Amino acid sequence: MLYQNDEHVHVMDHPLVAHKLTIMRNKNTSTKDFRELVSEIGMLITYEATRDLPLTTKHIETPICGAEMPTLAGKKIAVVPILRAGLGLVDGVLRLVPSARVAHIGMYRDEETLEPHVYFCKTPQDIASRDIMVVDPMLATGGSADAAISEMKKRGCKHIKLMVLVAAPEGIQCIRERHPDVDIFCGAVDEKLNERGYIVPGLGDAGDRIFGTK
Ligand code: PRP
Ligand code: URA
């Protein structure tokens, strides 16, 4: 489903995603269950975000006859988790795209200004020639995703997608303005941000809930 008829913003319109997100949003859900659900929903969104992967054909022998059959054209992909919480999504992407490389980008937000700072970025050498999937459970103000996407562009990346579980309208607007070339795939779009930059109703601090740090 498109968000506000914008062909670059794809919202999952699927009962499994809606159901699993509701379990995640519940503050009584355990760290173990929360982590497993991040991974599962990550896999479901990856399914949608890879819909445009190019196919070619190859000749195979079925038990019945020879046939030309579709196979992935072998596009090179890198998944880029924004540390920390983005790590929770890597496993789900890799389960569907096992050949993808992983480029880590470390980002922390100043607690007062909410400004993001990149403190670490380790990518495969051929990152510029890969299709990039930046992943993070939360798109709140959009500052972290904006900084991560800009860092990838600095390194020559041209084809970038952003995958998040929950987005705020403010975050979507930020990425659409700063990176009109980037498609956004999200599990849900929530109502708003609160005064502390948290998504409402949201699911709280995704990193703390994945890693059990609170
Ligand atoms: C969270 C989340 C995003 C960011 C979203 O990370 O995982 O990276 O906030 O907020 P924004 O859109 O306003 O930038 P956080 O900074 O809490 O770090 P963590 O992953 O280490 O918990
Ligand atoms: N980061 C989170 O982890 N949760 C929010 O709601 C906003 C930013």
Side-chain angles (χ1 to χ4, degrees):
M1 181 176 84
L2 298 179
Y3 175 66
Q4 292 186 340
N5 271 336
D6 183 340
E7 60 181 0
H8 296 285
V9 186
H10 312 260
V11 187
M12 296 295 288
D13 183 19
H14 197 290
L16 282 179
V17 174
H19 177 83
K20 288 174 190 291
L21 269 176
T22 297
I23 302 174
M24 289 183 69
R25 292 177 187 281
N26 187 332
K27 66 179 184 182
N28 295 319
T29 294
S30 69
T31 299
K32 172 181 175 292
D33 288 347
F34 190 91
R35 195 184 293 143
E36 285 173 4
L37 287 160
V38 172
S39 175
E40 283 174 23
I41 301 175
M43 195 159 54
L44 293 169
I45 304 179
T46 302
Y47 175 79
E48 197 55 41
T50 50
R51 193 176 277 287
D52 61 350
L53 279 184
L55 290 170
T56 181
T57 55
K58 73 172 183 184
H59 185 84
I60 55 157
E61 297 289 329
T62 78
I64 308 300
C65 65
E68 294 295 318
M69 286 291 155
T71 184
L72 287 172
K75 216 164 184 29
K76 296 196 294 181
I77 292 175
V79 51
V80 184
I82 301 178
L83 305 184
R84 291 175 298 170
L87 284 176
L89 286 158
V90 173
D91 167 60
V93 178
L94 290 181
R95 274 202 268 169
L96 289 192
V97 192
S99 62
R101 300 296 166 88
V102 183
H104 295 86
I105 182 156
M107 193 91 70
Y108 69 89
R109 286 190 306 160
D110 185 301
E111 299 263 317
E112 305 230 311
T113 64
L114 301 183
E115 279 293 306
H117 298 273
V118 176
Y119 66 85
F120 180 79
C121 188
K122 180 80 179 170
T123 70
Q125 280 186 341
D126 62 354
I127 192 78
S129 65
R130 290 182 175 268
D131 279 10
I132 304 298
M133 209 184 285
V134 174
V135 300
D136 193 318
M138 311 304 276
L139 178 64
T141 63
S144 306
D146 172 24
I149 291 166
S150 297
E151 190 68 31
M152 290 299 119
K153 286 184 173 174
K154 249 194 264 170
R155 288 161 189 257
C157 302
K158 303 234 164 11
H159 303 112
I160 302 175
K161 290 175 181 168
L162 172 65
M163 183 172 122
V164 302
L165 300 191
V166 181
E170 293 89 333
I172 292 177
Q173 189 183 348
C174 166
I175 300 303
R176 292 299 294 126
E177 283 172 9
R178 305 263 305 141
H179 304 285
D181 55 313
V182 171
D183 273 32
I184 304 170
F185 294 84
C186 51
V189 180
D190 276 10
E191 198 186 319
K192 59 178 182 182
L193 294 180
N194 70 13
E195 60 295 341
R196 291 172 53 224
Y198 278 86
I199 300 175
V200 180
L203 45 75
D205 188 308
D208 281 341
R209 295 197 67 189
I210 291 170
F211 297 110
T213 41
K214 211 162 227 172

